[in-house]
Amino acid sequence: MFYWLLKRIVLGPILKALFRPWVKGLENVPASGGAILASNHLSFSDSFFLPLMVPRRITFLAKADYFTGRGIKGRTTAAFFRGVGQVPIDRSGGRAGEAALRTGLRVLRRGDLLGIYPEGTRSPDGRLYRGKTGVARLALEAKVPVLPVAMIDTDKVQPIGQRIPRIRRVGMIIGEPMDFSRYEGMEGDRFILRSITDEIMYELMKLSGQEYVDVYASTVKARLATVARERFEELAARGREVLDKRDGDRHGTAERPEEPDAAAADAVVAGAAEEVASAEGPVAPDSPAEDGGDLATHNGVARPDVVEQVDPVEERNPRAS
């Protein structure tokens, strides 16, 4: 009830008036029955604009942190996310990942639409990253089609770290349903799961026009966070050194220090701030078989071309063998 109240009366009309969202391929969404909407993930607002434009209700899997807050703010946030059709999942892996898959299966088996982000988190730089195989396992176990969805320009409306959206037009392209019934009964084969996932990511690449990087977005975010921490530590050390010199100068035990390079300090702070990723939004659950997902696919399935190879040892070329 709350879902439809927000969509049709409270929030929906305001979003449509301000952002004038457009959609192509709406006819590809089935009128009934379960299906997976697998989308690229550019912005926190993706989970608002896609349900706004699809007539049927969409349930997303969201990180449990949104539902466990304390106080009035925490309870309000939890009530809001439940109201807009999001279901909490624990993303810590292992049994939690299995529980997330079970939750998604319940949604699909009751004939509803499940929204999922195969990348597992928002893109840190607007490119399309390697998909996690949970989406493939869900499709096979629930025996439902997958609809690739490309969100357009939502990262310009609300980039990572920005709380208040900018007013500009956004769009989405819904591709034709992808049928993986030829792999029925093979959901335990990690090679098959990787092959299906890469096929989905290839369609997302074509629809969105994004560059593809054959690395997990979470890996890139972790590396960026490490760089950011190092830069902050460098700036802090520089500040301590300047303060120590000034203290010595006041007591006549040191020469007057040179003025600190303010421009360099500002650059360190700005660069780190841009690179530290903020809290993620709704995500795709990891498949328990994901630990074997780095191996190349087979059966001649088309794979996205590599644009950047960050780590040739850990990450594999996604071209079809």
Side-chain angles (χ1 to χ4, degrees), residues 193-269:
L193 296 180
R194 172 48 55 193
S195 178
I196 292 172
T197 303
D198 288 337
E199 191 172 342
I200 293 169
M201 301 311 293
Y202 182 69
E203 289 301 315
L204 288 177
M205 184 184 73
K206 290 197 301 181
L207 291 175
S208 67
Q210 293 172 273
E211 294 181 355
Y212 179 83
V213 185
D214 194 38
V215 179
Y216 294 118
S218 57
T219 301
V220 174
K221 282 188 172 183
R223 291 171 181 169
L224 291 177
T226 298
V227 171
R229 284 194 297 270
E230 291 173 352
R231 290 186 178 183
F232 274 121
E233 290 170 1
E234 176 188 346
L235 179 60
R238 187 183 305 169
R240 286 193 297 268
E241 181 180 350
V242 170
L243 290 175
D244 289 344
K245 287 182 179 180
R246 285 180 174 173
D247 288 342
D249 184 55
R250 291 193 187 99
H251 293 86
T253 59
E255 297 181 359
R256 183 175 181 83
E258 296 181 358
E259 290 297 321
D261 187 350
D266 289 343
V268 170
V269 173

Side-chain angles (χ1 to χ4, degrees), residues 40-249:
N40 61 335
H41 199 11
L42 298 173
S43 168
F44 178 79
S45 61
D46 293 336
S47 302
F48 293 89
F49 288 115
L50 181 57
L52 179 65
M53 303 306 293
V54 174
R56 295 180 59 189
R57 175 170 178 156
I58 303 175
T59 298
F60 282 94
L61 301 180
K63 65 177 183 177
D65 295 358
Y66 290 138
F67 301 84
T68 57
R70 297 180 178 180
I72 296 177
K73 181 179 179 181
R75 289 193 293 270
T76 302
T77 300
F80 175 79
F81 278 101
R82 287 192 179 94
V84 296
Q86 299 193 15
V87 177
I89 61 168
D90 184 345
R91 302 187 303 173
S92 58
R95 293 183 179 178
E98 185 70 27
L101 288 166
R102 300 270 77 81
T103 300
L105 283 173
R106 284 197 298 271
V107 172
L108 293 169
R109 285 170 176 166
R110 67 173 181 243
D112 292 342
L113 298 179
L114 179 69
I116 202 168
Y117 300 116
E119 291 169 278
T121 184
R122 284 171 288 177
S123 170
D125 54 16
R127 294 184 294 179
L128 185 68
Y129 284 85
R130 184 180 177 89
K132 297 189 175 184
T133 60
V135 62
R137 183 173 165 188
L138 282 170
L140 292 185
E141 290 201 18
K143 299 179 176 61
V144 297
V146 176
L147 280 68
V149 180
M151 303 301 297
I152 309 296
D153 288 340
T154 53
D155 55 332
K156 296 181 175 65
V157 166
Q158 192 175 18
I160 289 178
Q162 180 164 323
R163 293 182 179 274
I164 301 176
R166 301 166 183 161
I167 305 300
R168 63 173 295 158
R169 201 170 191 196
V170 300
M172 58 215 75
I173 303 173
I174 304 174
E176 296 181 358
M178 303 176 71
D179 178 17
F180 298 107
S181 58
R182 62 188 181 278
Y183 297 122
E184 184 175 350
M186 305 176 73
E187 58 270 14
D189 188 324
R190 66 174 186 259
F191 297 101
I192 294 296
L193 296 180
R194 172 48 55 193
S195 178
I196 292 172
T197 303
D198 288 337
E199 191 172 342
I200 293 169
M201 301 311 293
Y202 182 69
E203 289 301 315
L204 288 177
M205 184 184 73
K206 290 197 301 181
L207 291 175
S208 67
Q210 293 172 273
E211 294 181 355
Y212 179 83
V213 185
D214 194 38
V215 179
Y216 294 118
S218 57
T219 301
V220 174
K221 282 188 172 183
R223 291 171 181 169
L224 291 177
T226 298
V227 171
R229 284 194 297 270
E230 291 173 352
R231 290 186 178 183
F232 274 121
E233 290 170 1
E234 176 188 346
L235 179 60
R238 187 183 305 169
R240 286 193 297 268
E241 181 180 350
V242 170
L243 290 175
D244 289 344
K245 287 182 179 180
R246 285 180 174 173
D247 288 342
D249 184 55

